[in-house]
Amino acid sequence: MTATSPVEQVGGGVATYVDQRVGSNKFLARNLGKVFPDHWSFMLGEIALYSFIVVLLTGTFLTLFFKPSMTEVLYDGSYVPLKGILMSEAYSSTLDISFDVRGGLLLRQMHHWAALIFIAAMSVHMFRVFFTGAFRKPREFNWIIGVALVTLGLGAGFSGYSLPDDLLSGTGLQIARGIMQSIPVIGTWMAFLLFDGEFPGTEFISRLYGVHILLIPGLILALVTIHLMLVWTQKHTQFPGPGRTNDNVVGYPLMPVYMAKAGGFFFIVFGVIALIGGLVTINPIWIFGPFMPDQVSAGSQPDWYIGWLDGALRTMPNWESVIFGFTISWNIFIPAVVIPGIIFTALALYPFLEAWVTGDKKEHHLLDRPRNAPTRTGIGVMALTFYLLLWVGGGNDIIAITFGLSINSIIWFLRIALIILPPIMFIVTRRICLGLQRRDREKLLHGYESGRILRLPHGEFIEVHQPINAKEMAVITGKTDITPLALPPATDADGVRNKHYAVKKLRSKLSGFFYSENVPLPTAAEIEEGQHHAEHAAAIEAPLHAFEDADQINRLHGGVLHHPGMPETNAEQLAKDGGHL
């Protein structure tokens, strides 16, 4: 009988003690063996989660030293160029964290980099979810939670970016105040409420601090918890493959495989963030100086995730109207309020729109390949193109200076491109997806092209096709062909007008827009015949392969390709040919 160590005895005793009170053993036995699929893209969500944990850990450290006060003080810290300068206590304490607190600059830069990676990982994770259709039933709520998390991430990033009260962050707050004031009727009152009077006021930093360290992180934690609970309950989606169906999950158990992988991956993410935070400077506030309402730093650029909003402001024409005595600044209101509102609302509602268009009420646990949903993929690429153009617009002054271009030419190019390029990219993307579908169909019907040309005994040249393997077969045949909804009749059998005709007609047209362009999969019989034909072609080539496989390297003169039974030397060759060359 194997002896039990003291540690195992204590652990077993604690486990028994807890189980007798909360029934933990049954819960753990049932859940630790839960299977999760394996794919590299699933790690994007883990990167977002782990970087958020780093944000919380480093943020907790920073709260111990940061002073969220706009009270003016004379700086007397270690950074000599700013000694004796009048500044807010918030800016002064941030300088102290950077230069006087041991490890402060490292933790502050880790906090900033982790926040950037958090938002980037969430964004790319949402792209993966969108392009693969992982938002479909029963995961619509999780998609909405994802949209909310990205929105909160933007708010957390901007609020933290604004806390140091340096000249660059103050410029961002000036822009935020202008956006608030552009909202008709209530905008001015909103700005007065947030800034406690005229900008910049004396209370805003302390108010923003509470939002940044309590409200937004609390909401993010709550939504992340709900998100993970839904993933656990609904089971994880998986890509098509051998043995994978809509009713099972093929992968590895949570314990010990994924627990070990998750723990190791967390430390990799933590280590990379620590390395970047230690080696790459970000937001050097001591260079910008304290915020002064009458000054703006040259070449001001926000963090990357706000760049598209800044670009929208810079690209919009200078339109203003006076309506009933109120000045409406359309050049601010449309790009900074209306367009983001439309984008995030459309993003949240998209799963319901696609389900309504298709009439699809089934549960989906197998993911789509982007090529198999060409319209959805085209819409996604079109949106990305729109976003990237706006993002480029956020750096139009830097681009103009760097490349010696006219800033007005850049602005006009972007204005035209924002209208023309997204639809072009939609069309191009959809055609590419359909071309990839046709290639998949050809693989099923004829096998894949080996690139080898074979001459048959009667002189005919053919290209040899090889049958596709079981994995690729399962991936390609995992596609679901959807038939567009038929146009509804305008009247019923008795000639009575259909009250819902207009809505159903719109739904039918949208369904056609989504699914009319599609390359259907061959039937099972066609696939079997095509693969048999490819196997037959491969069998014709088999004797040649057997002959080539028998070749060996003769080491007599370095390395000579030699086939058994053939002469090995010139003398043997001459003897075989009767002494004639």
Side-chain angles (χ1 to χ4, degrees):
M1 184 174 180
T2 305
T4 304
S5 69
V7 175
E8 290 175 329
Q9 291 177 357
V10 172
V14 171
T16 302
Y17 181 87
V18 173
D19 178 58
Q20 290 172 347
R21 285 154 181 80
V22 298
S24 57
N25 285 2
K26 289 183 179 179
F27 173 81
L28 293 175
R30 183 174 63 252
N31 289 285
L32 289 182
K34 189 176 181 66
V35 174
F36 286 88
D38 193 35
H39 192 269
W40 66 266
S41 65
F42 299 155
M43 298 171 69
L44 296 169
E46 294 184 50
I47 294 174
L49 177 62
Y50 301 152
S51 57
F52 178 62
I53 293 173
V54 176
V55 167
L56 292 180
L57 294 174
T58 54
T60 301
F61 174 86
L62 296 176
T63 58
L64 302 176
F65 303 97
F66 181 73
K67 298 175 182 178
S69 170
M70 298 183 74
T71 302
E72 292 189 328
V73 297
L74 282 176
Y75 179 66
D76 192 31
S78 300
Y79 189 64
V80 176
L82 291 178
K83 269 187 178 290
I85 300 294
L86 199 64
M87 61 184 64
S88 70
E89 199 169 11
Y91 184 62
S92 176
S93 65
T94 308
L95 290 174
D96 290 340
I97 291 172
S98 302
F99 295 107
D100 296 304
V101 175
R102 188 178 299 273
L105 182 58
L106 172 64
L107 270 294
R108 185 175 152 259
Q109 295 199 150
M110 283 181 63
H111 186 72
H112 201 135
W113 278 114
L116 297 183
I117 293 172
F118 172 57
I119 299 173
M122 279 197 299
S123 302
V124 180
H125 178 59
M126 286 197 70
F127 294 155
R128 198 275 299 172
V129 171
F130 179 84
F131 286 115
T132 60
F135 54 78
R136 293 172 295 176
K137 184 182 178 180
R139 297 176 179 82
E140 301 95 333
F141 290 161
N142 237 354
W143 172 261
I144 294 175
I145 289 172
V147 174
L149 282 171
V150 170
T151 307
L152 288 170
L154 297 179
F158 182 76
S159 59
Y161 169 85
S162 304
L163 284 177
D165 200 31
D166 59 284
L167 186 58
L168 183 61
S169 66
T171 302
L173 285 178
Q174 285 269 35
I175 297 172
R177 180 198 60 147
I179 292 172
M180 279 185 283
Q181 289 180 325
S182 73
I183 301 175
V185 183
I186 63 172
T188 303
W189 300 104
M190 286 178 61
F192 282 158
L193 176 65
L194 288 175
F195 292 99
D196 195 33
E198 291 288 346
F199 180 85
T202 58
E203 303 294 331
F204 183 70
I205 293 296
S206 59
R207 293 178 179 180
L208 193 64
Y209 184 66
V211 170
H212 181 70
I213 70 166
L214 292 175
L215 180 61
I216 295 181
L219 290 173
I220 291 177
L221 271 174
L223 290 177
V224 166
T225 303
I226 297 171
H227 175 77
L228 294 177
M229 289 173 62
L230 287 174
V231 170
W232 188 276
T233 302
Q234 296 169 346
K235 73 183 180 182
H236 205 294
T237 53
Q238 58 185 347
F239 284 95
R244 298 174 185 175
T245 69
N246 210 45
D247 302 316
N248 70 356
V249 177
V250 177
Y252 301 99
L254 178 67
M255 187 71 180
V257 177
Y258 271 103
M259 293 289 283
K261 290 175 66 175
F265 192 46
F266 167 75
F267 287 108
I268 290 174
V269 173
F270 189 95
V272 169
I273 292 174
L275 186 66
I276 296 174
L279 297 179
V280 184
T281 300
I282 190 169
N283 199 24
I285 60 164
W286 51 89
I287 295 177
F288 309 139
F291 175 61
M292 297 294 176
D294 61 336
Q295 297 178 14
V296 176
S297 58
S300 297
Q301 297 290 312
D303 280 337
W304 72 267
Y305 51 85
I306 301 293
W308 67 280
L309 187 60
D310 194 20
L313 287 167
R314 299 185 187 202
T315 307
M316 183 71 185
N318 186 26
W319 294 345
E320 284 188 354
S321 302
V322 178
I323 302 174
F324 301 116
F326 293 98
T327 300
I328 310 297
S329 297
W330 301 110
N331 57 325
I332 306 296
F333 181 63
I334 290 177
V337 179
V338 175
I339 290 179
I342 292 173
I343 289 175
F344 281 96
T345 302
L347 200 60
L349 296 180
Y350 183 85
F352 304 98
L353 172 64
E354 186 171 303
W356 179 74
V357 166
T358 60
D360 183 13
K361 300 185 183 300
K362 300 190 300 292
E363 290 192 359
H364 295 273
H365 303 295
L366 277 180
L367 298 171
D368 285 336
R369 300 168 81 198
R371 68 183 65 183
N372 293 336
T375 300
R376 182 202 300 147
T377 304
I379 291 172
V381 172
M382 180 172 66
L384 278 174
T385 304
F386 186 79
Y387 166 84
L388 289 173
L389 288 171
L390 291 180
W391 190 74
V392 169
N396 57 3
D397 53 341
I398 304 298
I399 294 172
I401 292 171
T402 303
F403 297 100
L405 302 174
S406 164
I407 193 168
N408 288 330
S409 300
I410 294 174
I411 290 173
W412 273 106
F413 166 78
L414 291 172
R415 287 173 179 173
I416 296 170
L418 282 167
I419 298 171
I420 295 176
L421 276 185
I424 292 176
M425 292 306 297
F426 170 81
I427 295 171
V428 170
T429 301
R430 191 155 74 161
R431 302 315 301 175
I432 291 174
C433 289
L434 291 171
L436 292 173
Q437 284 189 33
R438 291 188 186 94
R439 189 179 73 172
D440 286 344
R441 181 182 171 88
E442 288 298 312
K443 286 182 180 180
L444 293 176
L445 292 177
H446 306 292
Y448 70 88
E449 299 174 353
S450 66
R452 298 190 301 274
I453 304 299
L454 180 65
R455 184 181 181 183
L456 300 181
H458 58 275
E460 180 187 1
F461 289 91
I462 63 169
E463 182 181 14
V464 178
H465 286 68
Q466 294 281 2
I468 60 178
N469 57 43
K471 180 179 178 180
E472 192 170 9
M473 174 73 74
V475 169
I476 296 177
T477 55
K479 175 176 179 277
T480 301
D481 290 322
I482 300 176
T483 304
L485 299 177
L487 195 66
T491 59
D492 61 16
D494 299 323
V496 178
R497 179 178 171 274
N498 186 350
K499 292 187 298 183
H500 305 292
Y501 175 73
V503 175
K504 290 183 177 180
K505 180 181 178 182
L506 173 63
R507 185 181 182 188
S508 173
K509 288 189 175 296
L510 285 174
S511 179
F513 170 72
F514 267 80
Y515 300 113
S516 60
E517 294 208 39
N518 177 55
V519 180
L521 286 175
T523 64
E526 290 174 330
I527 293 174
E528 184 178 359
E529 181 182 353
Q531 295 303 301
H532 177 72
H533 178 73
E535 290 173 359
H536 176 69
I540 295 176
E541 196 184 25
L544 179 60
H545 283 303
F547 184 84
E548 291 176 344
D549 291 341
D551 286 343
Q552 58 190 22
I553 302 296
N554 193 321
R555 302 294 179 182
L556 292 177
H557 303 288
V560 179
L561 191 64
H562 173 70
H563 190 78
M566 294 178 63
E568 294 189 12
T569 65
N570 290 339
E572 291 180 4
Q573 182 69 45
L574 286 171
K576 179 182 177 182
D577 296 337
H580 301 287
L581 292 176

